[in-house]
Amino acid sequence: MVALDVSHSRRRRVSDAAVPQSVKGRFRRLKTRIAVAGSAVFFLLPWIPWNRGEGRPYGAVTFDLAAGRFHLFGLELRTQELYFLTGFLLFAALGLILANAIAGRVWCGFACPHTVWSDAFLFIERLVEGDRRERLKKREARLSGRRIAEIATKHALWIALSAAVGIGTVLYFGDARVLLADLVGGRADPIAYGLAASVAVTVYALGGFFRETMCKFMCPWPRLQGAIWDPEALSVTYRDMRGEPRTSPKKAVELRAAGKPAGDCVDCDLCVAVCPMGIDIRQGPSIACINCGLCVDACDGVMGKLSRARGLIDFVAWTEIEALRRGEKPLAPRIVRPKTAALAAALFGLVFAAGLTLELRVETAMSVQHDRNPLSVRLSDGRVRNGYTLRVSNKTDQERRLKLEVLAAAPVEVAVIGGETAAGEILLPPDADREIRVTVAARPEAAGPLTFVGVDPATGQDVRISDTFIR
Ligand code: SF4
Ligand code: SF4
């Protein structure tokens, strides 16, 4: 039986949560590297050129709203293909659940954009106002000219960063070189300014003022996290059986010499001070913990200075804690287990399905409806005539032409009623559907299945649809 205690911090004032202390360590380094790599990708992607031909979008990743297209390097998705977005969202959700089953809220702690820009805002704050102790002191102090200058500098840098993210977002919606010049030169569309401003204001508000509040109360993921919490996931946990009872290093030596219990936790509160969420993880797993590992770094640093083993706070499966509490030897963490294997298989299946759909997708589609009344007409020369309505969709952003042929059991005479070019081809405007009236006349022996074939003379590709010729 696994028990989960959920507890919010009671030791740290809520107002202190937004003033976390800096910390050094392996998880801090990993967070910084992920943030730098993620930011580099975000800001550089729209500048990578991709040759799609004259007059087509320039960037490797571009949302071409006017043409209703999303370009991702060589891949082009149309608005009619929204199911790819559904597939992507499903993939992202399953990916999050898989990451959660392996290592809890690591997405939140390391890669979520809100975490990344909150970290960047905190970095600026520390740069201008100093580390936690100084900032807390300055909060209580009276305003001076120097303090006002510090606050103004901090907000100016925050606004510059927010504006960069806002403008960076807009560059995904066209040619980055032109858009940037237009935005800076005041020539851009008001919608572009509106989008840049709304993204910038959101980043400024969330990164500057609603940091941990966003993760605790505004984001839906923690609520879901509570429901899908996995006792085998490697989550940041305090090894209480090792840390308790808390005592100073000096007292611990005396207690141990007297044969009394003394834990490794020296109650320095550093793990609490560095936590961006204001959690005291020693009180038990918390639904608000984003698994960022900063308290692990803090405690490892303390343990290192005391020449004690690291890992008093660590990424640990709850099942291990339970086993240790029962005095049993814990089993090694199981990354591969039925749940993670099933989720990985589902992700693989989604990628496979998306690849197959892309491979099989058509640029021109055709459907047919036979005339109902009359089904056929007997002509004076003994032949029979049937009428059909063809619906042809051109899913490309280029005009296309189709040469229509009909395959039947006997020779047929085909007539397209309106819309043909002089060469007998059907014109299809870009991104459009067309209805075409077609009559087929033939000897009664042609009765039976027949196939309409539309051949694109430029590419030689064809599209086919079958129906029946009725005598
Ligand atoms: S308790 Fe530790 S891992 Fe959880 S949010 Fe706080 S610092 Fe990060
Ligand atoms: S950092 Fe480690 S030693 Fe210090 S209070 Fe936290 S758990 Fe205890």
Side-chain angles (χ1 to χ4, degrees):
M1 181 70 182
V2 172
L4 171 66
D5 310 319
V6 177
S7 161
H8 282 279
S9 168
R10 287 191 290 273
R11 298 199 55 164
R12 194 169 151 190
R13 286 182 298 152
V14 173
S15 58
D16 293 356
V19 195
Q21 186 165 323
S22 65
V23 63
K24 287 188 178 143
R26 57 200 162 126
F27 295 112
R28 176 64 269 178
R29 278 196 299 280
L30 181 61
K31 267 169 75 72
T32 305
R33 283 177 192 155
I34 290 173
V36 169
S39 305
V41 168
F42 171 75
F43 284 113
L44 293 179
L45 263 186
W47 296 95
I48 298 174
W50 198 264
N51 185 6
R52 300 188 178 88
E54 190 65 30
R56 315 276 326 278
Y58 161 86
V61 180
T62 308
F63 294 89
D64 186 355
L65 292 185
R69 294 280 190 284
F70 169 58
H71 297 275
L72 180 68
F73 298 92
L75 178 68
E76 179 180 308
L77 299 179
R78 307 149 193 146
T79 37
Q80 302 97 314
E81 294 172 320
L82 264 183
Y83 48 85
F84 278 109
L85 176 65
T86 312
F88 172 75
L89 293 177
L90 192 57
F91 182 88
L94 286 176
L96 269 180
I97 296 170
L98 176 61
N100 179 76
I102 294 172
R105 286 179 71 182
V106 275
W107 160 261
C108 306
F110 289 85
C112 169
H114 174 66
T115 301
V116 169
W117 65 52
S118 292
D119 257 4
F121 274 61
L122 262 174
F123 174 77
I124 291 172
E125 195 169 278
R126 285 193 193 112
L127 202 69
V128 177
E129 298 182 337
D131 211 343
R132 174 179 158 80
R133 193 175 298 178
E134 285 171 272
R135 301 209 303 283
L136 285 176
K137 219 187 282 172
K138 284 174 182 172
R139 277 189 175 193
E140 307 298 327
R142 290 181 56 183
L143 271 185
S144 62
R146 189 192 157 116
R147 179 75 187 121
I148 291 171
E150 265 184 6
I151 294 172
T153 309
K154 177 180 81 175
H155 283 275
L157 290 171
W158 280 0
I159 290 168
L161 175 61
S162 310
V165 177
I167 292 172
T169 306
V170 171
L171 300 187
Y172 280 86
F173 291 87
D175 184 335
R177 301 162 303 175
V178 177
L179 265 177
L180 186 62
D182 285 355
L183 280 167
V184 174
R187 298 182 300 274
D189 193 298
I191 293 174
Y193 289 110
L195 176 63
S198 49
V199 172
V201 168
T202 307
V203 171
Y204 178 66
L206 295 183
F209 303 96
F210 296 103
R211 293 167 190 165
E212 72 282 359
T213 316
M214 164 77 181
C215 305
K216 281 182 188 168
F217 305 112
M218 294 153 85
C219 176
W221 184 233
R223 324 283 137 226
L224 187 60
Q225 166 74 26
I228 61 170
W229 180 78
D230 189 326
E232 292 205 68
L234 296 172
S235 302
V236 171
T237 312
Y238 170 64
R239 289 189 163 103
D240 55 354
M241 69 298 299
R242 178 186 150 192
E244 304 291 325
R246 303 168 199 175
T247 183
S248 70
K250 198 171 152 208
K251 193 98 186 282
V253 174
E254 290 168 15
L255 285 170
R256 282 170 189 158
K260 293 186 178 159
D264 275 350
C265 175
V266 295
D267 215 8
C268 63
D269 267 1
L270 200 59
C271 51
V272 188
V274 301
C275 177
M277 306 300 294
I279 296 167
D280 184 348
I281 197 66
R282 293 170 301 170
Q283 294 179 355
S286 167
I287 203 168
C289 173
I290 57 171
N291 249 21
C292 66
L294 296 184
C295 55
V296 179
D297 281 343
C299 192
D300 278 354
V302 174
M303 292 297 114
K305 281 184 195 148
L306 295 173
S307 304
R308 289 178 181 169
R310 295 175 179 217
L312 177 54
I313 302 177
D314 209 349
F315 281 83
V316 187
W318 187 250
T319 45
E320 180 186 324
I321 299 291
E322 292 274 287
L324 287 172
R325 282 180 179 175
R326 290 193 301 268
E328 296 168 6
K329 192 171 179 297
L331 297 170
R334 287 192 313 151
I335 303 288
V336 181
R337 48 189 196 274
K339 179 177 174 180
T340 54
L343 285 164
L347 285 174
F348 179 78
L350 270 178
V351 172
F352 182 75
L356 200 64
T357 310
L358 284 172
E359 189 61 33
L360 297 178
R361 76 176 177 170
V362 290
E363 299 202 317
T364 310
M366 189 155 69
S367 61
V368 62
Q369 190 173 14
H370 196 291
D371 283 0
R372 299 250 169 103
N373 193 13
L375 282 171
S376 66
V377 176
R378 176 78 60 171
L379 301 178
S380 56
D381 59 4
R383 292 186 304 162
V384 177
R385 190 177 67 206
N386 283 197
Y388 303 85
T389 302
L390 288 178
R391 176 178 272 268
V392 191
S393 307
N394 176 10
K395 298 183 179 179
T396 71
D397 57 357
Q398 312 282 314
E399 184 182 81
R400 301 195 70 174
R401 288 157 187 266
L402 278 191
K403 180 92 182 150
L404 193 65
E405 295 167 7
V406 176
L407 308 177
V412 295
E413 183 190 322
V414 184
V416 177
I417 304 169
E420 270 183 302
T421 65
E425 293 163 359
I426 301 162
L427 278 182
L428 299 173
D431 282 320
D433 293 344
R434 268 201 66 189
E435 275 192 1
I436 301 153
R437 285 284 299 145
V438 177
T439 59
V440 176
R443 306 288 315 162
E445 304 85 81
L450 93 172
T451 305
F452 292 93
V453 184
V455 182
D456 183 341
T459 61
Q461 291 175 341
D462 63 41
V463 53
R464 292 165 181 250
I465 188 77
S466 295
D467 206 288
T468 313
F469 185 75
I470 297 170
R471 55 194 304 172

